[in-house]
Amino acid sequence: MKFTELALPEQVMRGIENMGFTDLTPVQEESIPLALDGRDVAAQAQTGTGKTAAFLISLFTRLLKQPAETSGDPRALILAPTRELVVQICEDAKGLGIGCPFKVQPIFGGVDYDKQRQALQAGVDVIVATPGRLIDYAKQRVFSFKRIEALVIDEADRMFDMGFIRDLRYILRKLPPFENRQTMLFSATLSTRVMELAYEFMDLAEKVSIQPEQVTAERVEQILYHAARREKFPLLLGLMKKEPGADRVLVFVNTKREAEHLTERLKANEFKAAVISGDIPQRKRMRILDDFKEGKLRFLVATDVASRGIHIEGVTHVVNYDLPQDAEDYVHRIGRTARAGAVGKAISFADEDLVFHLPDIEEYIGRKIPSDFPHEDDLVWDYKRTTPRKKAPTPEKKGGGEKKPARRRPRRRSQGGRGPEKA
């Protein structure tokens, strides 16, 4: 089905053409007609299948058809679990809304508080937000929920995983009644808890499920190597030399410390690399993501904070340097490549410590991952080593001097109750 068959407003079609879209993806084909008809939609869709465009096109069409008031309060609200996802939705909204007169405002923590506050006070049409800071502004009455006529909840399952459900329920209770607004909910899984949310806060939602048995994206080529821990870095170097077109590689590890260490090793071997993890300041994080998108970095090393909510065009390879301990994280990680019809490759390393998570992953995705053992020509051993970081010395207390010797444990008395005899 083509977008020209949907009889969309001219302003929306201009944005679709601007983004280069012609054919609808399966989730778009199922959900957009229902949304255009005014129905509530609860959709299960894999990451990278075009669900952001689905709800933005539906949302912009609705707002264009409804007469606008001049109160300045938002008319639509899009909720997402991560800052990165909020930013990406706003980027897509900018492209798809190029012909629409709507002001879209991102709201999330980690950036200028007063600047976002002033933007809300000046008046916006659409808010794209994480729950925490949005609630803060709402309690201060910086804006009102009263005019919200359309709500989108993106990555609903992730809202539960990240502990946002109480905040989400708070916001939903502040909105106009569900019969007075349109609600669209998108989730990788329509679990029982997600559907309970739909039944409670939506108006007889139409359930859309796209290929639920196909958990991982179709166009992702998957391969797993059984490699010892000491072989993983040589194997990464060897594979990246052999892999054609490995220009934009997203590497996942399980800990911040491993992410920093791996990035240092890549840099030492003259690869352009950067690390992104949960405690990096927001501005620096966005600068790193921009550099990766623009091709200034070949490797982006990330913890699972980046496994959802980041949409980067042209990620050629995803490498699970550490096999994830959560099966769902495997799906979200490899979904960073082969997005919206593109092709990509996911390479995973299963070492002696993490291979025990492989059965759970394969059970979750419903298939065996093709596997192999590294061959000698896959490994590059002549790389530059890095010196492990030393722990910072413990600062001495005031009035210090030499460190006091540790207290010795008293020697055990003999059965007769007498202490040991002196030599």
Side-chain angles (χ1 to χ4, degrees):
M1 187 176 185
K2 296 187 179 297
F3 282 103
T4 51
E5 300 176 47
L6 291 174
L8 296 167
E10 181 183 346
Q11 300 99 312
V12 175
M13 283 304 302
R14 182 181 167 193
I16 291 171
E17 292 168 3
N18 175 60
M19 298 293 284
F21 300 155
T22 55
D23 298 329
L24 282 77
T25 64
V27 68
Q28 292 168 353
E29 192 168 340
E30 291 288 334
S31 63
I32 291 179
L34 291 170
L36 293 179
D37 197 36
R39 307 295 296 273
D40 283 8
V41 176
Q44 174 179 312
Q46 300 166 187
T47 183
T49 53
K51 58 184 175 60
T52 304
F55 63 69
L56 286 175
I57 289 169
S58 305
L59 186 64
F60 289 158
T61 301
R62 178 186 176 90
L63 296 183
L64 285 168
K65 289 182 178 180
Q66 299 289 340
E69 298 179 10
T70 57
S71 70
D73 285 325
R75 301 176 61 195
L77 174 62
I78 302 172
L79 294 172
T82 66
R83 293 172 285 187
E84 288 79 16
L85 186 52
V86 167
V87 171
Q88 187 54 55
I89 291 171
C90 288
E91 286 295 313
D92 289 345
K94 186 186 297 183
L96 282 167
I98 194 170
C100 301
F102 304 129
K103 183 177 180 182
V104 180
Q105 178 62 41
I107 300 293
F108 53 86
V111 294
D112 196 308
Y113 187 92
D114 289 331
K115 188 175 180 180
Q116 290 184 356
R117 180 190 177 100
Q118 290 167 11
L120 287 176
Q121 290 174 328
V124 300
D125 297 292
V126 181
I127 292 177
V128 186
T130 54
R133 182 166 287 191
L134 182 70
I135 291 175
D136 197 10
Y137 289 132
K139 287 181 176 179
Q140 296 178 40
R141 300 185 179 179
V142 177
F143 72 99
S144 171
F145 286 120
K146 292 180 180 178
R147 286 188 63 233
I148 297 292
E149 55 190 88
L151 168 70
V152 176
I153 304 172
D154 197 11
E155 302 277 16
D157 53 343
R158 190 65 162 174
M159 291 283 193
F160 282 93
D161 295 341
M162 297 182 70
F164 282 133
I165 189 57
R166 290 182 65 183
D167 288 346
L168 184 57
R169 289 182 180 276
Y170 174 88
I171 293 170
L172 288 167
R173 291 189 178 106
K174 296 294 181 181
L175 297 177
F178 58 73
E179 62 268 19
N180 295 339
R181 68 168 192 267
Q182 183 179 29
T183 305
M184 289 175 276
L185 180 150
F186 289 82
S187 181
T189 56
L190 289 180
S191 62
T192 302
R193 58 184 182 174
V194 172
M195 289 310 299
E196 283 177 355
L197 194 71
Y199 295 141
E200 186 176 356
F201 293 103
M202 298 175 73
D203 188 13
L204 298 175
E206 292 283 347
K207 188 175 177 180
V208 172
S209 186
I210 304 300
Q211 295 182 335
E213 73 284 352
Q214 182 70 32
V215 179
T216 55
E218 285 184 15
R219 294 173 177 260
V220 180
E221 179 188 351
Q222 300 175 60
I223 181 71
L224 179 138
Y225 288 92
H226 292 277
R229 188 165 42 188
R230 63 183 291 272
E231 293 177 325
K232 292 202 295 187
F233 190 68
L235 179 58
L236 177 64
L237 297 182
L239 293 179
M240 290 302 102
K241 283 186 176 182
K242 290 183 174 185
E243 284 291 322
D247 303 321
R248 196 168 298 170
V249 184
L250 188 52
V251 185
F252 283 104
V253 294
N254 290 349
T255 66
K256 174 193 167 190
R257 184 175 180 180
E258 181 61 40
E260 292 172 345
H261 181 49
L262 178 57
T263 304
E264 288 176 2
R265 297 174 85 182
L266 287 168
K267 287 180 177 178
N269 287 274
E270 300 180 354
F271 289 104
K272 293 180 179 179
V275 62
I276 181 170
S277 59
D279 60 351
I280 292 178
Q282 184 64 19
R283 290 184 179 178
K284 182 179 179 181
R285 185 183 307 180
M286 299 314 300
R287 185 172 67 249
I288 291 171
L289 289 174
D290 287 341
D291 288 346
F292 189 55
K293 290 176 183 178
E294 294 167 9
K296 296 177 183 178
L297 298 171
R298 184 181 180 189
F299 291 93
L300 181 62
V301 183
T303 54
D304 279 307
V305 70
S307 66
R308 290 215 194 182
I310 292 182
H311 172 50
I312 300 171
E313 294 289 347
V315 173
T316 57
H317 293 68
V318 167
V319 177
N320 286 307
Y321 192 83
D322 290 338
L323 203 63
Q325 299 175 20
D326 189 324
E328 287 189 32
D329 285 336
Y330 176 82
V331 175
H332 300 311
R333 287 180 180 188
I334 71 172
R336 298 306 101 200
T337 188
R339 296 180 68 87
V343 295
K345 188 167 185 177
I347 302 170
S348 300
F349 299 161
D351 61 32
E352 59 269 31
D353 294 325
L354 298 171
V355 69
F356 303 104
H357 301 292
L358 182 58
D360 289 340
I361 293 171
E362 292 181 330
E363 181 181 358
Y364 182 75
I365 66 175
R367 55 172 290 192
K368 288 281 187 182
I369 303 172
S371 62
D372 200 355
F373 289 88
H375 302 285
E376 194 56 40
D377 57 351
D378 292 329
L379 304 169
V380 174
W381 292 105
D382 58 338
Y383 61 86
K384 293 180 182 177
R385 268 65 174 176
T386 56
T387 305
R389 288 187 177 184
K390 293 182 179 180
K391 281 189 175 182
T394 305
E396 293 182 359
K397 294 181 180 179
K398 289 184 179 180
E402 292 189 4
K403 189 177 178 181
K404 291 182 179 180
R407 292 181 62 185
R408 295 180 63 183
R409 296 178 63 184
R411 296 181 66 177
R412 194 172 179 179
R413 291 180 177 270
S414 63
Q415 290 182 350
R418 296 172 55 188
E421 294 180 0
K422 293 183 181 179

